[in-house]
């Protein structure tokens, strides 16, 4: 669609940026925080662990002052459950409460809207030892944690995200890590965990609307439109299979209250459907999100399954993510999109396409909670970082978002990954995403000084002009 004129970005658009607790805070065992599953994961020996990360726990004032200088209108961060409730449930750790209260106050001081993720991959280890998400008691534990958050921060935080990338946790559990000596759950166990997370999320959204009526809450999913590798009808079916199983099945449950019909039949056929107890359907039906939070990095291109083991292959440059499923879909190459040096597809037009599909399906406003490019940025001797590739990446995605807005998609804001350098989930500090460079290596902590990158100044200008020149 070519328009005579592009719509402007909305007046109160949330120009923001994101982080998550375990990737930025450090202080992994300080002030009463207990270990989460992330702290207990087996870490590749050549990659930084999460014990210090970017030391945001001690430097949040300096960091938020820099975010304010960049002009951010929103800062998306996650709360570590293990700081608030070190035993997963029970006694509240006041030091944890006061840390996040200070972070929120610091944001407010500069007029930055805090956007809070309640759960970003970091289940308390003590709950994992009791069966984790496989145990229905974890649903109550999560709802109790939610209540503590709403009681303490509900008055100061308007935008809330329940669970970050539930679809990644269920579909690619190895991408985040494995407990020391542990093994990956079976797919049956994973879909049971998924069902419990869905119930926890639904009960939390309902509670939220009772306790924080002025706020907005939504799930944060990694959404990706799929292209068929050719106009062969079997490729179209395979692309639809994977789009449903990877994306819509995870968003349909919070919005419509039940699984996508195709996904439900698929789970039944493979004997991996979750056990559903009496009352579960009502719980799921009873809750509604106010918006969809979307993490968007890339699209995928899909061909028909050949029905044998050759359907499955590791994602280029990333052995931890297996793509393809026998009898469902196989990954294919796309000559029309770019790739990062880590093999991730770069597809700004696919961003517009994914936004259109998501809005058409749910008719809920969309908040982008992640989008960005990982690169081994270089700190120059004069303290500058020339990350023109990041500027290019974000500029193109924002232009496509503006087209999507012109297409009629309702957008709340854009919080790319990441506000500041964070530890990449399994590629440490050699893969950076931030607008602000953190001077440390994989193991040498150096001085952890902060250095705005070129993208920092560029984004500052975008925010100042409300995206007018995009
Ligand atoms: C998202 C996660 O999936 O991707 C983030 O929510 C993560 O936590 C980001 O850091 C980028 O992935 P990676 O593996 O490059 O860190």
């Amino acid at each position: 669609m070519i328009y005579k004129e592009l719509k402007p970005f909305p007046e109160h658009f949330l120009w923001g940026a994101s982080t998550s607790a375990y990737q930025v805070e450090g202080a992994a065992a300080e002030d009463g925080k207990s270990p989460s599953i992330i702290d207990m994961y087996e870490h590749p020996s050549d990659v930084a662990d999460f014990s210090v990360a970017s030391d945001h726990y001690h430097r949040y004032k300096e960091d938020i002052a820099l975010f304010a200088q960049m002009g951010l209108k929103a800062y998306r961060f996650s709360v570590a459950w293990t700081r608030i409730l070190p035993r997963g449930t029970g006694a509240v750790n006041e030091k944890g409460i006061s840390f996040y209260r200070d972070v929120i106050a610091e944001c407010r001081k500069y007029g930055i809207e805090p956007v809070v993720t309640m759960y970003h991959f970091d289940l308390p280890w003590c709950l994992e030892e009791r069966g984790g998400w496989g145990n229905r008691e974890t649903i109550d534990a999560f709802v109790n944690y939610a209540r503590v958050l709403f009681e303490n921060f509900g008055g100061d935080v308007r935008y809330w995200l329940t669970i970050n990338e539930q679809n990644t946790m269920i579909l690619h559990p190895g991408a985040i890590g494995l407990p020391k000596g542990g093994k990956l759950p079976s797919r049956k166990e994973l879909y049971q965990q998924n069902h419990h997370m869905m119930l926890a999320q639904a009960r939390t959204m309902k509670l939220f609307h009772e306790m924080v009526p002025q706020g907005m809450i939504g799930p944060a999913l990694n959404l990706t439109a799929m292209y068929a590798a050719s106009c062969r009808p079997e490729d179209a079916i395979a692309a639809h299979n994977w789009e449903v199983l990877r994306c819509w099945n995870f968003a349909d449950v919070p919005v419509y209250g039940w699984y996508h019909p195709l996904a439900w039949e698929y789970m039944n056929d493979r004997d991996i459907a979750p056990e559903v107890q009496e009352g579960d359907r009502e719980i799921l039906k009873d809750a509604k999100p106010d918006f969809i939070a979307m993490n968007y990095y890339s699209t995928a291109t899909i061909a028909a399954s050949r029905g044998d083991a050759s359907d499955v292959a590791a994602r280029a440059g990333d052995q931890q993510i297996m793509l393809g499923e026998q009898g469902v879909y196989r990954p294919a190459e796309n000559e029309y999109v770019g790739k990062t040096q880590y093999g991730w597809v770069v597809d700004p037009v696919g961003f517009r396409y994914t936004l259109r599909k998501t809005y058409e399906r749910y008719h809920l406003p969309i908040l982008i909670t992640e989008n960005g490019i990982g690169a081994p940025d270089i700190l120059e001797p004069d303290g500058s970082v020339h990350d023109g590739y990041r500027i290019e990446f974000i500029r193109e995605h924002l232009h496509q978002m503006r087209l999507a807005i012109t297409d009629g998609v309702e957008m709340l804001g854009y919080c790319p990954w990441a506000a500041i350098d964070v530890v990449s989930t399994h590629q440490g500090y050699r893969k950076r995403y931030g607008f602000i460079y953190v001077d440390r290596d994989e193991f040498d902590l150096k001085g952890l000084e902060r250095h705005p990158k070129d993208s920092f100044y560029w984004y500052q200008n975008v925010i100042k002009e409300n995206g007018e020149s995009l």
Side-chain angles (χ1 to χ4, degrees):
M1 192 101 63
I2 297 171
Y3 293 103
K4 292 201 284 290
E5 209 179 321
L6 297 189
K7 279 196 199 152
F9 285 89
E11 201 184 337
H12 299 293
F13 191 72
L14 294 173
W15 294 102
S18 296
T19 61
S20 81
Y22 76 88
Q23 291 175 280
V24 75
E25 285 177 4
E30 265 179 59
D31 287 344
K33 180 185 176 301
S34 70
S36 75
I37 50 175
I38 289 285
D39 299 310
M40 302 304 279
Y41 280 163
E42 190 87 70
H43 228 72
S45 59
D46 59 339
V47 166
D49 64 21
F50 303 111
S51 55
V52 176
S54 297
D55 199 32
H56 185 63
Y57 189 77
H58 299 114
R59 297 169 193 243
Y60 67 93
K61 285 196 178 168
E62 176 189 350
D63 292 344
I64 295 171
L66 281 167
F67 302 164
Q69 191 191 329
M70 191 167 28
L72 292 194
K73 307 265 188 256
Y75 172 41
R76 176 216 176 194
F77 59 91
S78 77
V79 171
W81 184 345
T82 46
R83 277 196 204 288
I84 303 291
L85 294 159
R87 283 185 283 136
T89 174
V92 174
N93 176 26
E94 284 309 322
K95 288 195 172 157
I97 298 285
S98 72
F99 171 67
Y100 293 108
R101 188 164 282 144
D102 290 349
V103 167
I104 292 164
E106 208 60 21
C107 288
R108 288 265 173 245
K109 180 169 120 190
Y110 296 107
I112 297 173
E113 192 73 46
V115 177
V116 171
T117 315
M118 301 170 63
Y119 179 74
H120 196 118
F121 303 156
D122 51 355
L123 187 73
W125 176 249
C126 51
L127 295 184
E128 177 70 12
E129 285 185 307
R130 281 183 255 146
W133 282 110
N135 181 349
R136 277 183 82 101
E137 283 175 17
T138 301
I139 304 172
D140 294 330
F142 188 83
V143 178
N144 171 61
Y145 164 57
R147 181 184 295 281
V148 173
L149 293 185
F150 301 153
E151 270 164 8
N152 283 281
F153 312 125
D156 296 317
V157 177
R158 174 146 197 252
Y159 297 95
W160 292 80
L161 314 172
T162 51
I163 298 179
N164 181 69
E165 294 200 2
Q166 185 171 331
N167 51 344
T168 303
M169 285 186 277
I170 301 303
L171 298 169
H172 304 292
I176 299 153
L178 254 187
K180 292 186 180 69
K183 65 172 181 55
L184 290 180
S186 69
R187 294 208 312 143
K188 171 100 183 145
E189 288 164 334
L190 284 164
Y191 277 101
Q192 192 66 47
Q193 292 181 10
N194 183 51
H195 186 63
H196 297 162
M197 285 188 202
M198 291 298 187
L199 291 166
Q201 174 170 258
R203 283 179 52 196
T204 296
M205 292 193 299
K206 183 155 188 248
L207 180 71
F208 177 79
H209 289 127
E210 287 159 15
M211 293 181 67
V212 192
Q214 74 286 5
M216 294 176 82
I217 193 164
L221 293 164
N222 184 312
L223 299 179
T224 289
M226 305 289 164
Y227 302 116
S230 75
C231 50
R232 193 177 153 221
E234 287 79 0
D235 286 349
I237 291 287
H240 187 237
N241 284 345
W242 186 225
E243 195 172 273
V244 166
L245 297 180
R246 188 192 180 286
C247 302
W248 311 138
N249 190 39
F250 291 88
D252 277 17
V253 183
V255 179
Y256 299 131
W258 193 243
Y259 296 90
H260 188 290
L262 172 63
W264 186 250
E265 294 311 323
Y266 156 88
M267 291 190 286
N268 276 323
D269 180 77
R270 266 80 175 158
D271 294 323
I272 54 175
E275 184 199 314
V276 177
Q277 293 194 1
E278 210 185 315
D280 286 0
R281 278 180 183 261
E282 289 66 31
I283 290 171
L284 295 176
K285 274 259 172 283
D286 223 16
K288 294 272 174 282
D290 302 294
F291 63 94
I292 301 279
M294 178 196 292
N295 295 354
Y296 173 86
Y297 287 91
S298 45
T299 48
T301 301
I302 303 300
S305 151
R306 288 193 191 139
D308 59 36
S310 74
D311 285 341
V312 182
R315 183 166 72 181
D318 195 344
Q319 296 306 308
Q320 267 112 327
I321 301 231
M322 300 306 288
L323 295 174
E325 187 178 333
Q326 198 171 330
V328 179
Y329 81 102
R330 61 188 286 128
E333 285 300 317
N334 185 341
E335 60 177 303
Y336 301 104
V337 297
K339 274 204 181 147
T340 71
Q341 55 185 289
Y342 294 93
W344 291 31
V345 164
V346 175
D347 183 9
V349 178
F351 186 32
R352 177 186 185 185
Y353 187 43
T354 307
L355 287 170
R356 283 161 57 141
K357 282 192 161 189
T358 305
Y359 190 66
E360 168 181 74
R361 190 165 181 86
Y362 302 112
H363 284 246
L364 285 170
I366 300 171
L367 175 64
I368 298 302
T369 40
E370 287 183 35
N371 172 235
I373 184 169
D377 301 330
I378 311 283
L379 180 65
E380 302 293 343
D382 66 357
S384 58
V385 178
H386 304 305
D387 58 343
Y389 36 86
R390 182 163 295 110
I391 295 175
E392 200 52 26
F393 181 99
I394 296 180
R395 187 206 318 274
E396 288 180 9
H397 282 78
L398 282 173
H399 176 62
Q400 293 298 326
M401 187 198 287
R402 188 163 178 193
L403 287 167
I405 291 171
T406 308
D407 292 330
V409 176
E410 194 184 341
M411 296 296 313
L412 289 175
Y414 178 71
C415 298
W417 191 257
I420 185 167
D421 283 344
V422 301
V423 199
S424 149
T425 300
H426 53 268
Q427 278 142 327
Y429 277 91
R430 53 184 84 117
K431 187 192 200 185
R432 295 170 182 264
Y433 285 90
F435 289 112
I436 299 164
Y437 187 92
V438 174
D439 192 15
R440 63 159 288 180
D441 285 342
E442 242 32 273
F443 300 106
D444 181 356
L445 294 178
K446 300 185 174 177
L448 289 153
E449 286 97 11
R450 281 47 179 154
H451 298 275
K453 303 179 190 176
D454 288 355
S455 56
F456 175 102
Y457 298 106
W458 173 81
Y459 195 44
Q460 183 183 53
N461 193 50
V462 167
I463 298 173
K464 205 178 290 166
E465 52 147 39
N466 199 32
E468 188 47 48
S469 62
L470 290 164

